C-alpha cells in the first residue's frame, strides 16, 4: 500500500497551521500515519501560523481538530493521541514579515539540536496562493532551503498560479531557491487510491488495453459532482471558479491517467513523461469555440426540502454580481494516435444532487445490430471507474431476458474496491505526505504538466472574461446543472449520466 523506502528523521513545518486544510486534512492524515506506524521514531510537526499562541494551546487545537475530523480513530487511540501531541510544536510566523523567518530558523535549529533530529525539513504551504512566492523567498533569505545539514522540500498546494503566465512566473521564483526535486506540487486527486487503480486496471490486465482506444471507445465522461456549495470558502472561490479549482488540476490529471500510454517502466519519471504527453495533446479550444464546447453555470437560491440554500452570489465573500462559474462542462479532444476524434466530456459542479466522482468509458456499439428489431433498448456498453463513493469498477452490458424471444436487458457486473481492502483505504493526504517524506514525487504534478493544463484552460477563462455574449447559465441547487450542458453532445440522443451515490 505505502512505500517501503526507509523514512528518515524529519520535521514537518505547516504554514497556515490554523487553517481549514490543516485542521481537516493534514493533521488527521499525520495522526493516521502515526497510529499506522509509518512515521520515523524522530519526527515532529511544527505549526507556523500568524496567531500568537504557545505550544500547549496549539497542541490543544490539534487535538480538537483530530477529535472533530477523526472521531472514531481518536477515541480508539486515545493514548496514542496524547503521545502524538508531544511531537507537536508551534512558532508564530507572519508569512509576510521577513524577520519572522529568522525566528523560525532559530526555533527549528534549537528544536532539532535539542531533540537530536536531523535537519530534514518539509515545509507545507497550506496558505493562500498569493503567499507562495513570499514564503519561499523568506525561507531562502534565512538559508532554510539549504541542504548541507539535511534535505529540504516544499509542498505547494493548488492552484499553482492563476493562469499560464503566472504559473510560469511562480515556477521561476520557486526555482530561484529550490531545485525541481525539492518542489512537490500537490494534487490530492493523484493521491486517491482509486485514481492510482486506474493505472493498475489498465496496465496489469491484458483485456482492457486492447479496447482502450478510438477503435472501440465512443466517448469518455469524467464527472466530479459535489453536493455542497462553496460554504465559507467564497472569498477564495470567487477568484478561482470551478475551472481553476477542479478542472485545471484534478480533472485534467484524472484525464491524463485515463488516456496515457503505458510507460515502459513504473517509475516517477516514466509515468509523468506519459501523462504530460496527454495534456500537451489536448486540442486547444479557441475563444470562438468556447460557446460550443464549454458550458458554465452558477447555482441560485433554491429551497430543497425544508432547507433554503443561498445562491452563489449570496455566499459570504462572493461579489453580488459575480460571474464566477460553480459548474463547468467541457467537450475536449486529445489529438494523438490513440484518441483521435474521441470526445472527452468533463464536468464538475457544486450543489449537484450527489457527491460522485467517476470516469465512464462508453464503448462503441457492435458493428452489426442483430437484435435491433427485437428489443427496444440501445446497447449500453460502459466501463465505469468509480472514484468516489463506493469506489470500484463496473462493467455494463446487455443480457438476454430469460424466456421467449430475444429481449435484452442492461446488466452491471460490479467490483467494489472496499471488498478487496484488508485494512482501511488510506486518505489521499496520508499517501501523499508519506511519499514526500520518502522523496517519491510520482504522485505529485510536474511543472510541465501544470503548464500544459494551464495552456488548455487559459483561453477558455480568457474568452469568458472578454466576451459577454458567452452565457453563464443559472441552475437550481440539487439539479444536474444547466440543461444546456447536454448540447455538448450535439444533436444526438445522448446526454450526461445522472449517477446516484
Ligand atoms: C479541492 C477543491 O481541491 O477539492 C474543493 O478546492 C473541492 O472545492 C475538493 O471540494 C474536492 O475534493 P474531493 O476529494 O472531496 O473530491
Amino acid at each position: 500500500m505505502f512505500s517501503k523506502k526507509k523514512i528518515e528523521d524529519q520535521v514537518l513545518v505547516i504554514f497556515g497551521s490554523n487553517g481549514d486544510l490543516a485542521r481537516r486534512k493534514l493533521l488527521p492524515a499525520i495522526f493516521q500515519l502515526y497510529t499506522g506506524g509509518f512515521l520515523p521514531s524522530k519526527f515532529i510537526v511544527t505549526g507556523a501560523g500568524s496567531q500568537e499562541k504557545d505550544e500547549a494551546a496549539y497542541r490543544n487545537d490539534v487535538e480538537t481538530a483530530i477529535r472533530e475530523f477523526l472521531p472514531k480513530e481518536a477515541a480508539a487511540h486515545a493514548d496514542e493521541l496524547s503521545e502524538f501531541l508531544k511531537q507537536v510544536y508551534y512558532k508564530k510566523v507572519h508569512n509576510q514579515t521577513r524577520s519572522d523567518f529568522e525566528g523560525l530558523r532559530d526555533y527549528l535549529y534549537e528544536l532539532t539540536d535539542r531533540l537530536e533530529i536531523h535537519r530534514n525539513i518539509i515545509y507545507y504551504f497550506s496558505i493562500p496562493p498569493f503567499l507562495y512566492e513570499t514564503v519561499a523567498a523568506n525561507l531562502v533569505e534565512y538559508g532554510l532551503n539549504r541542504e548541507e545539514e539535511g534535505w529540504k522540500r516544499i509542498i505547494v498546494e493548488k492552484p499553482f498560479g492563476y493562469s499560464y503566465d503566472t504559473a510560469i512566473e511562480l515556477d521561476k521564483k520557486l526555482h530561484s531557491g529550490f531545485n525541481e526535486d525539492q518542489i512537490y506540487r500537490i494534487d490530492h486527486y493523484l493521491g486517491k487510491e482509486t485514481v492510482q487503480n486506474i493505472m493498475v486496471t489498465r496496465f496489469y490486465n491484458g483485456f482492457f488495453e486492447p479496447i482502450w482506444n478510438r477503435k472501440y471507445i465512443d466517448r469518455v465522461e469524467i464527472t466530479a459532482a459535489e453536493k455542497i456549495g462553496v460554504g465559507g470558502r467564497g472569498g477564495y472561490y470567487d477568484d478561482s471558479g470551478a475551472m481553476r479549482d477542479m478542472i485545471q488540476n484534478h480533472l485534467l490529471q484524472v484525464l491524463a491517467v485515463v488516456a496515457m500510454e503505458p510507460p515502459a517502466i513504473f517509475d516517477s519519471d516514466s509515468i509523468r513523461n506519459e501523462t504530460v504527453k496527454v495534456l500537451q495533446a489536448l486540442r486547444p479550444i479557441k475563444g470562438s469555440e468556447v460557446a460550443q464546447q464549454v458550458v458554465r453555470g452558477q447555482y441560485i437560491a433554491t429551497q430543497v426540502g425544508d432547507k433554503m440554500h443561498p445562491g452563489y452570489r449570496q455566499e459570504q465573500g462572493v461579489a453580488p454580481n459575480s460571474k464566477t462559474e460553480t459548474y463547468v462542462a467541457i467537450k475536449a479532444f486529445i489529438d494523438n494516435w490513440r484518441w483521435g476524434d474521441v470526445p472527452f466530456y468533463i464536468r464538475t459542479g457544486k450543489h449537484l444532487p450527489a457527491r460522485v466522482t467517476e470516469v465512464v468509458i462508453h464503448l462503441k456499439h457492435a458493428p452489426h445490430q442483430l437484435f435491433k428489431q427485437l428489443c427496444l433498448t440501445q446497447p449500453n456498453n460502459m466501463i465505469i471507474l468509480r472514484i468516489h463513493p463506493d469506489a470500484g469498477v463496473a462493467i455494463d452490458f446487455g443480457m438476454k431476458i430469460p424466456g421467449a424471444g430475444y429481449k435484452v436487458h442492461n446488466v452491471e457486473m460490479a467490483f467494489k474496491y472496499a471488498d478487496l481492502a484488508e485494512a482501511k483505504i488510506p486518505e489521499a493526504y496520508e499517501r501523499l505526505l508519506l511519499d514526500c517524506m520518502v522523496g517519491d514525487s510520482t504522485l505529485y504534478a510536474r511543472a510541465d504538466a501544470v503548464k500544459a493544463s494551464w495552456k488548455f484552460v487559459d483561453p477558455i477563462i480568457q474568452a469568458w472574461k472578454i466576451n459577454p455574449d458567452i452565457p453563464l447559465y443559472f441552475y437550481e441547487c440539487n439539479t444536474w446543472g444547466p440543461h444546456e450542458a447536454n448540447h455538448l453532445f450535439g444533436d444526438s440522443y445522448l446526454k450526461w449520466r445522472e449517477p446516484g451515490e
Side-chain angles (χ1 to χ4, degrees):
M1 167 178 78
F2 282 149
S3 171
K4 293 265 184 297
K5 282 192 200 162
K6 181 174 165 1
I7 308 184
E8 297 163 292
D9 300 355
Q10 55 192 277
V11 179
L12 172 65
V13 178
I14 304 179
F15 291 101
S17 55
N18 302 304
D20 202 49
L21 177 70
R23 296 185 65 254
R24 267 174 198 281
K25 298 285 184 190
L26 304 182
L27 294 164
I30 298 160
F31 181 60
Q32 293 278 56
L33 290 173
Y34 177 81
T35 55
F38 292 105
L39 298 182
S41 53
K42 289 191 175 177
F43 172 83
I44 56 170
V45 181
T46 302
S50 56
Q51 294 171 15
E52 188 73 69
K53 60 174 87 165
D54 60 16
E55 239 152 61
Y58 186 59
R59 286 178 181 176
N60 203 30
D61 292 348
V62 173
E63 179 172 1
T64 310
I66 292 174
R67 287 194 186 281
E68 183 178 348
F69 296 107
L70 282 180
K72 277 195 215 131
E73 291 80 351
H77 300 278
D79 292 346
E80 282 168 283
L81 179 55
S82 17
E83 282 307 306
F84 170 72
L85 292 173
K86 292 182 191 157
Q87 295 176 222
V88 173
Y89 295 84
Y90 185 80
K91 176 76 183 151
K92 179 183 173 232
V93 178
H94 193 270
N95 295 314
Q96 283 160 305
T97 308
R98 190 172 277 194
S99 56
D100 276 8
F101 285 72
E102 188 173 16
L104 176 66
R105 182 195 61 196
D106 296 347
Y107 180 78
L108 290 174
Y109 282 12
E110 186 276 319
L111 256 184
T112 46
D113 281 346
R114 176 155 54 90
L115 302 171
E116 296 179 351
I117 300 183
H118 253 85
R119 291 199 183 132
N120 297 321
I121 308 178
I122 296 178
Y123 305 103
Y124 199 116
F125 290 12
S126 176
I127 46 179
F130 75 90
L131 288 170
Y132 294 165
E133 291 175 18
T134 313
V135 170
N138 289 343
L139 288 171
V140 173
E141 173 79 18
Y142 291 100
L144 284 162
N145 59 333
R146 301 179 66 119
E147 297 200 289
E148 290 88 350
E149 296 181 6
W151 50 253
K152 307 290 176 296
R153 297 174 187 148
I154 55 174
I155 302 184
V156 186
E157 265 293 335
K158 60 134 262 260
F160 194 88
Y162 285 98
S163 61
Y164 179 74
D165 289 342
T166 54
I168 291 198
E169 196 51 38
L170 173 60
D171 212 46
K172 242 194 240 157
K173 293 255 169 69
L174 295 183
H175 275 112
S176 66
F178 296 88
N179 299 322
E180 180 60 22
D181 65 0
Q182 293 177 280
I183 304 172
Y184 287 71
R185 298 169 198 81
I186 197 162
D187 185 319
H188 79 275
Y189 265 56
L190 290 177
K192 288 181 189 268
E193 275 286 324
T194 37
V195 173
Q196 296 151 38
N197 191 43
I198 296 174
M199 285 190 272
V200 177
T201 307
R202 288 188 54 196
F203 304 137
Y204 182 81
N205 303 298
F207 58 90
F208 285 106
E209 228 15 53
I211 56 165
W212 213 263
N213 55 52
R214 66 190 303 278
K215 195 164 169 207
Y216 296 99
I217 293 179
D218 181 68
R219 64 192 189 281
V220 177
E221 254 182 274
I222 301 178
T223 295
E226 292 187 272
K227 252 182 132 135
I228 51 169
V230 300
R233 298 169 71 223
Y236 148 76
Y237 197 90
D238 211 30
D239 283 336
S240 160
M243 189 66 107
R244 291 187 177 96
D245 187 53
M246 290 292 290
I247 305 266
Q248 184 272 334
N249 32 70
H250 304 327
L251 295 191
L252 289 185
Q253 288 288 347
V254 171
L255 169 130
V257 173
V258 170
M260 71 194 275
E261 293 301 317
I265 42 171
F266 201 75
D267 69 7
S268 174
D269 275 345
S270 314
I271 294 170
R272 301 197 303 176
N273 286 345
E274 295 307 333
T275 49
V276 74
K277 282 186 208 157
V278 174
L279 299 170
Q280 287 165 342
L282 278 166
R283 187 185 298 168
I285 298 179
K286 296 192 216 104
S288 57
E289 296 163 341
V290 169
Q292 287 75 47
Q293 277 182 248
V294 186
V295 170
R296 60 174 168 164
Q298 190 185 81
Y299 63 81
I300 52 172
T302 316
Q303 182 82 35
V304 180
D306 53 9
K307 198 161 180 236
M308 185 67 193
H309 292 296
Y312 175 69
R313 290 178 178 179
Q314 285 94 54
E315 301 276 20
Q316 192 193 336
V318 172
N321 56 352
S322 170
K323 290 189 86 180
T324 299
E325 74 291 353
T326 59
Y327 174 98
V328 188
I330 306 179
K331 180 181 188 177
F333 291 94
I334 299 167
D335 282 338
N336 65 15
W337 204 263
R338 184 188 285 260
W339 296 114
D341 289 333
V342 176
F344 280 72
Y345 296 94
I346 312 164
R347 83 182 146 164
T348 185
K350 302 262 185 214
H351 264 315
L352 303 188
R355 181 174 175 225
V356 174
T357 307
E358 65 174 23
V359 177
V360 182
I361 312 290
H362 294 269
L363 297 164
K364 286 189 171 159
H365 295 165
H368 176 50
Q369 292 297 311
L370 268 185
F371 305 100
K372 197 160 59 188
Q373 312 303 333
L374 303 162
C375 58
L376 299 170
T377 48
Q378 286 279 344
N380 210 3
N381 292 164
M382 299 187 279
I383 302 170
I384 303 167
L385 306 166
R386 185 52 90 84
I387 294 168
H388 182 93
D390 238 353
V393 180
I395 300 179
D396 286 25
F397 51 97
M399 283 283 120
K400 179 182 176 300
I401 298 175
Y406 280 89
K407 283 198 190 120
V408 180
H409 185 66
N410 278 315
V411 296
E412 184 165 283
M413 212 161 73
F415 152 73
K416 285 192 184 172
Y417 207 49
D419 294 344
L420 192 69
E422 287 154 17
K424 75 167 218 355
I425 301 175
E427 280 285 322
Y429 277 98
E430 289 173 47
R431 168 69 198 249
L432 293 171
L433 276 168
L434 199 66
D435 280 0
C436 181
M437 289 178 187
V438 297
D440 181 350
S441 55
T442 312
L443 299 175
Y444 282 83
R446 208 166 60 183
D448 49 1
V450 174
K451 284 181 209 161
S453 47
W454 274 121
K455 212 170 199 164
F456 176 69
V457 302
D458 244 12
I460 305 173
I461 297 173
Q462 273 309 312
W464 285 342
K465 204 165 140 193
I466 59 177
N467 186 351
D469 292 339
I470 301 177
L472 168 71
Y473 298 104
F474 295 98
Y475 63 96
E476 294 196 331
C477 301
N478 208 33
T479 66
W480 280 101
H483 61 83
E484 285 81 359
N486 283 326
H487 297 169
L488 295 179
F489 295 96
D491 296 333
S492 64
Y493 62 93
L494 300 174
K495 57 189 193 67
W496 287 95
R497 242 169 78 81
E498 296 189 354
E501 285 188 357

